[in-house]
Amino acid sequence: SYALTQPPSVSVAPGQTATITCGGNNIGSQTVHWYQQKPGQAPVVVVYDDSDRPPGIPERFSGSNSGNTATLTISRVEAGDEADYYCQVWDSSSDLWVFGGGTKLTVL
Amino acid sequence: QVHLVESGGGVVQPGRPLRLSCEAAGFTFSDYGMHWVRQAPGKALEWVALIWYDGSNIYYSDSVKGRFTVSRDNSKDTLYLQMNSLRAEDTGVYYCVKETGTYSKFDSWGQGTLVTVSS
């Protein structure tokens, strides 16, 4: 089955840029969604269809997807961005929905 | 505004059944596919099952296939998950999730219900 690989943790100082990667075999041919989950809360989609943002999500959140890596970029990181982030795809070849292992973003 | 409320979680012994429910409001329930996603304590999200808007197609993860059954009652705006032969590794928070878009974006999540499988 299709697997997605994320770094367990990323740390960044406030005001800097955080980059969270999601690796998968030819993931560039898939469509990737990204979710933010804060402790004790349900996940929220922050980027969908590789690079689109839902209403209410700051422009600081952006996404890209090419080759074997999809990337979530958070610019001008704030303390409130500290959370777990998950990438997700729909593997249409097997009709399975797959999540990455999650990345804990720490704001120093 | 979309509102999804799960219920039915609790402590259950290994091998016993449990049924979860998810009441939907704020959108036309019968127009959307619905998923169950779970999260073991301290672990990553794991997709469990999908049922199409009309119930005509259903998909399961390999880890629950043959033990769990997803269903829906569009007249009651309610999604269900019947869980049989429960195992310790089924412990976790179960989320009811609405999907949308061509590529199955999970755009609305319930608050989750905790299932603990323990003797």
Side-chain angles (χ1 to χ4, degrees), chain A residues 16-21 34 46-47 50-51 53 57-65 70-77 81 85 105:
Chain A
Q16 299 304 303
T17 297
T19 300
I20 298 174
T21 59
W34 290 92
V46 291
V47 168
D50 292 341
S51 58
R53 271 186 316 277
I57 299 300
E59 292 183 7
R60 302 183 297 103
F61 289 80
S62 62
S64 63
N65 184 17
T71 303
L72 174 68
T73 302
I74 309 172
S75 305
R76 302 180 300 283
V77 166
D81 298 332
Y85 291 85
L105 175 66

Side-chain angles (χ1 to χ4, degrees), chain A residues 31 33 35 37 41-43 45 48-49 86 88 90 95-97 99-101, chain B residues 35 37 39 43-47 50 59-60 95 102-106 109-110:
Chain A
T31 301
H33 312 304
Y35 302 88
Q37 186 181 32
Q41 298 183 21
V45 59
Y48 69 97
D49 292 358
Y86 295 91
Q88 178 246 324
W90 167 41
D95 279 320
L96 294 175
W97 284 256
F99 286 97
Chain B
H35 298 253
V37 174
Q39 187 171 34
K43 301 298 184 181
L45 301 170
E46 178 189 12
W47 173 76
L50 159 71
Y59 304 93
Y60 297 100
Y95 294 101
T102 305
Y103 301 104
S104 293
K105 172 183 61 174
F106 293 176
W109 299 62

